[in-house]
Amino acid sequence: MKWTGRRESSNVDDRRGISGGGLAVGGGIIGVIVLLVRFFVLGDSSAINDAIPQQGGPQQEMSAEEKKLDDERASFVKVVLADTEDVWNQIFSQGGKKYVEPTLVMFRQSVQSACGMAGAATGPFYCPGDQQVYIDLSFFEDMQNKLNASGDFAMAYVIAHEVGHHIQKLNGTSDKMNQLRQRLSEEEYNKYSVKLELQADFLAGVWAHHAQKMKNILEENDIDEALNAANAIGDDRLQKQAQGRVVPESFTHGTSAQRVYWFKKGFETGDVSQGNTFQDPSLN
Ligand SMILES: [Zn+2]
């Protein structure tokens, strides 16, 4: 993805230095699977009220090289957030509405949100309660090193997915979901949760479509990177990794194929009106 030299968003709350300032060491593949299952299976924000307490394991100050890489990731996140602002401001104003830009909180290890206390193990999430996106930059390292979902555009896809949840907050979809959560069984609710997640993937695709038109951001293979990430982080893949079998009842984000399908549909059409996953017969 071409990203250097572009505007960085100012809607970023950088709390990386506040929560300790060291890099957590270790964790291993089991830690990553726990992390991913918590993020992708339990849902972005539902998991964080009972976030795993921070382990007091060994911590290291970052080397100069690690710090440089971390700051570069932070710049990248700010540029992608600015790209989402430009695209969604345009789409909203074309529809006669005003886009309220979300704040993105960058943290390390743990953070307090209106949805509860979150640790690095929570993964990136959106909290509708304070309309903020939360990202621990170490998640991107895990995507690259342990998930085989490498590439900067794969990271952009994750950010655009979380911003997609913000769009769902602004247009009332997540509030409706909250009401459903009160009166449906967990299994029934999960079906809606999948639709919500796939719609966020779709909205990430819509963003990519328009960002490309406005700013020519894509390089060869970028879309493959996003599709690969969508494929790698589908619930079926993650559950297989974690427990060796697939349990469809507890899916909340959709299968790999579904995530790829909806991201692609958003990217190809760029048309928000085609993303009604709630009415899609194949998802009922
Ligand atoms: Zn999500």
Side-chain angles (χ1 to χ4, degrees):
M1 176 179 167
K2 287 174 263 178
W3 67 275
T4 48
R6 276 212 304 282
R7 179 176 82 85
E8 293 187 0
S9 172
S10 54
N11 294 317
V12 170
D13 181 358
D14 190 346
R15 298 192 206 158
R16 285 177 299 159
I18 294 170
S19 53
L23 265 185
V25 179
I29 189 70
I30 297 301
V32 170
I33 288 170
V34 167
L35 177 160
L36 291 168
V37 168
R38 293 183 69 80
F39 170 45
F40 292 106
V41 178
L42 299 180
D44 299 8
S45 55
S46 63
I48 65 174
N49 282 321
D50 59 342
I52 300 169
Q54 290 306 296
Q55 286 161 7
Q59 304 207 342
Q60 272 178 356
E61 285 300 312
M62 280 190 196
S63 68
E65 207 175 308
E66 283 166 338
K67 193 173 179 322
K68 193 172 159 248
L69 194 69
D70 203 59
D71 286 342
E72 193 179 286
R73 279 210 184 98
S75 292
F76 174 82
V77 168
K78 288 177 189 173
V79 167
V80 172
L81 185 65
D83 290 346
T84 66
E85 289 162 358
D86 294 343
V87 164
W88 289 113
N89 272 313
Q90 187 189 63
I91 293 176
F92 270 62
S93 76
Q94 280 166 355
K97 289 186 180 136
K98 188 166 164 26
Y99 179 57
V100 181
E101 297 172 354
T103 295
L104 184 148
V105 179
M106 281 192 272
F107 69 99
R108 184 172 296 136
Q109 293 175 0
S110 67
V111 73
Q112 183 66 49
S113 80
C115 298
M117 188 76 183
T122 312
F125 66 97
Y126 174 75
C127 174
D130 54 25
Q131 302 196 17
Q132 302 197 116
V133 173
Y134 291 83
I135 289 181
D136 180 327
L137 297 184
S138 67
F139 181 76
F140 294 135
E141 234 162 277
D142 291 337
M143 277 179 72
Q144 272 170 344
N145 300 340
K146 295 164 183 166
L147 251 186
N148 265 337
S150 62
D152 49 11
F153 201 71
M155 299 193 275
Y157 154 70
V158 168
I159 297 163
H161 172 100
E162 299 309 334
V163 171
H165 286 311
H166 177 63
I167 306 294
Q168 293 170 321
K169 169 68 186 171
L170 295 181
N171 69 19
T173 307
S174 34
D175 290 341
K176 274 185 213 149
M177 286 286 290
N178 253 340
Q179 290 160 11
L180 285 174
R181 195 197 285 259
Q182 323 261 310
R183 57 181 179 82
L184 294 180
S185 72
E186 202 180 324
E187 197 184 327
E188 276 177 305
Y189 177 76
N190 270 349
K191 275 191 201 163
Y192 285 93
S193 190
V194 167
K195 293 167 199 265
L196 189 79
E197 291 304 326
L198 293 175
Q199 190 176 62
D201 286 332
F202 170 83
L203 293 169
V206 168
W207 164 76
H209 174 100
H210 291 281
Q212 173 63 4
K213 262 197 184 157
M214 277 166 105
K215 307 184 181 194
N216 191 30
I217 64 170
L218 295 176
E219 292 173 316
E220 220 186 314
N221 295 330
D222 275 349
I223 290 302
D224 288 341
E225 282 173 15
L227 293 177
N228 178 48
N231 186 43
I233 59 192
D235 288 345
D236 50 349
R237 280 276 202 97
L238 292 173
Q239 289 205 350
K240 256 188 196 152
Q241 266 183 290
Q243 13 174 302
R245 67 199 167 91
V246 174
V247 190
E249 292 79 17
S250 60
F251 282 10
T252 49
H253 277 69
T255 64
S256 298
Q258 287 171 330
R259 299 198 76 169
V260 166
Y261 173 84
W262 285 100
F263 175 82
K264 234 177 162 174
K265 189 171 183 189
F267 178 67
E268 281 164 7
T269 65
D271 178 3
V272 178
S273 72
Q274 296 198 35
N276 196 341
T277 53
F278 292 89
Q279 299 286 319
D280 193 277
S282 74
L283 296 173
N284 288 321

